[in-house]
Amino acid sequence: DRVMIEPSGVGKLSEIIDSCRRALPGRDCAFGICVAVVDATKYAMYEKNFSEFFLDQIKSAKTVVLSRTQKAPPEKVERAVEGIRKHNPGANIVTTPWDRLSAGKILSVAEGRMPELIEGARSGPDSIPGEDGHHDHEHCHDADQAFEVWSIETPQKFQAGRIGEALRRITRYGTVLRAKGIVPVGDGKWIQFDYVPGENSLRETDADYTGRLCVIGQNLDPDGLASLFGVSGCRAKGSFSAGGSADRRIPR
């Protein structure tokens, strides 16, 4: 059997590994694959603005999969690989666009069995960061020191156009790593929105138990965000640690 753990969008991989390691002694189980996904088009931006969290993922993974390499100029992919290699010299780095790879091939890379698809390989497929039971904690701090979360639940009906405009202007209200939500827009319809720096999307979706909005980043302006989205008659849930309940309330 294999247990798979997908952290919240801003969960720290090093802390998850530590938690699992503490639970392993005396049990008939072992670590397998530790993978981080890095957007090749935004490597430099994430490293600059969210270095503590972002680099923790890279340093702690044994395989790094670069996404959107088909959209990135070759020199951007090369710089991302160089940056990853600087922080984790032994990582497997997948640069082939994953829509050209089968699930089996990606799994083989993650297990260290297909070096022709990767930029480099560790000494063995079962090695993990800190195999001796230790981690470099010089830069590991609680996630809530790195991120703020503005989160609201509301039955209010929204206009899709207002949400789209809010996503285009959201950078005025803090350094935003992620924004997401699911809200009613009238006529029994609901939309789900997603934002990462430089990109946003809106799509129709199924109804949920109530409307929800969530913004994750640094130096957020809660009042400004409420005004931006036109939220009224409800209170923000407040700031939570990056791995806290606010992040789990919104579907990914």
Side-chain angles (χ1 to χ4, degrees):
D1 294 332
R2 182 172 283 182
V3 176
M4 299 179 65
I5 301 174
E6 181 186 10
S8 70
V10 289
K12 275 193 172 180
L13 184 53
S14 65
E15 295 174 357
I16 294 164
I17 290 172
D18 284 346
S19 296
C20 291
R21 180 177 283 109
R22 288 194 295 270
L24 288 181
R27 299 178 183 273
D28 185 20
C29 54
F31 278 104
I33 297 169
C34 293
V35 175
V37 179
V38 172
D39 187 335
T41 67
K42 297 181 173 65
Y43 179 90
M45 185 276 295
Y46 283 130
E47 184 179 42
K48 177 181 178 181
N49 293 299
F50 304 101
S51 59
E52 180 182 339
F53 156 76
F54 183 62
L55 295 181
D56 180 88
Q57 313 300 305
I58 290 172
K59 291 176 181 178
S60 301
K62 73 174 182 181
T63 298
V64 179
V65 178
L66 282 175
S67 66
R68 303 186 181 183
T69 53
Q70 72 274 25
K71 298 181 179 180
E75 60 272 14
K76 214 166 198 179
V77 176
E78 291 171 7
R79 285 196 295 270
V81 169
E82 290 172 2
I84 294 166
R85 183 71 64 230
K86 178 179 68 175
H87 297 293
N88 190 344
N92 305 327
I93 304 177
V94 179
T95 57
T96 303
W98 58 29
D99 59 356
R100 300 181 191 172
L101 301 174
S102 68
K105 283 186 177 181
I106 294 175
L107 185 62
S108 294
V109 171
E111 293 176 337
R113 293 188 281 112
M114 293 191 69
E116 69 272 16
L117 289 176
I118 60 183
E119 293 288 339
R122 288 188 178 276
S123 58
D126 295 323
S127 62
I128 62 169
E131 190 68 34
D132 58 357
H134 299 284
H135 278 283
D136 176 7
H137 285 284
E138 181 181 355
H139 298 292
C140 291
H141 306 288
D142 290 339
D144 57 2
Q145 294 179 346
F147 292 102
E148 300 165 6
V149 178
W150 176 83
S151 179
I152 278 180
E153 294 185 353
T154 174
Q156 178 178 326
K157 288 184 172 59
F158 293 80
Q159 295 181 346
R162 177 69 180 263
I163 296 293
E165 179 63 20
L167 297 180
R168 288 188 286 272
R169 297 170 52 206
I170 199 167
T171 55
R172 302 179 186 180
Y173 302 91
T175 304
V176 179
L177 172 67
R178 183 79 193 277
K180 49 190 175 178
I182 179 169
V183 294
V185 291
D187 298 327
K189 295 182 179 180
W190 288 65
I191 60 169
Q192 182 171 333
F193 67 84
D194 290 278
Y195 168 91
V196 294
E199 297 181 43
N200 63 74
S201 66
L202 288 169
R203 59 186 179 277
E204 193 168 332
T205 190
D206 295 332
D208 208 342
Y209 70 89
T210 192
R212 295 171 286 163
L213 303 91
C214 180
V215 178
I216 303 167
Q218 296 174 328
N219 303 314
L220 299 182
D221 175 0
D223 293 336
L225 288 169
S227 176
L228 177 68
F229 284 98
V231 177
S232 61
C234 61
R235 296 178 60 187
K237 290 292 181 180
S239 294
F240 297 84
S241 64
S245 60
D247 191 46
R248 290 195 296 268
R249 278 197 295 268
I250 306 295
R252 277 185 288 149

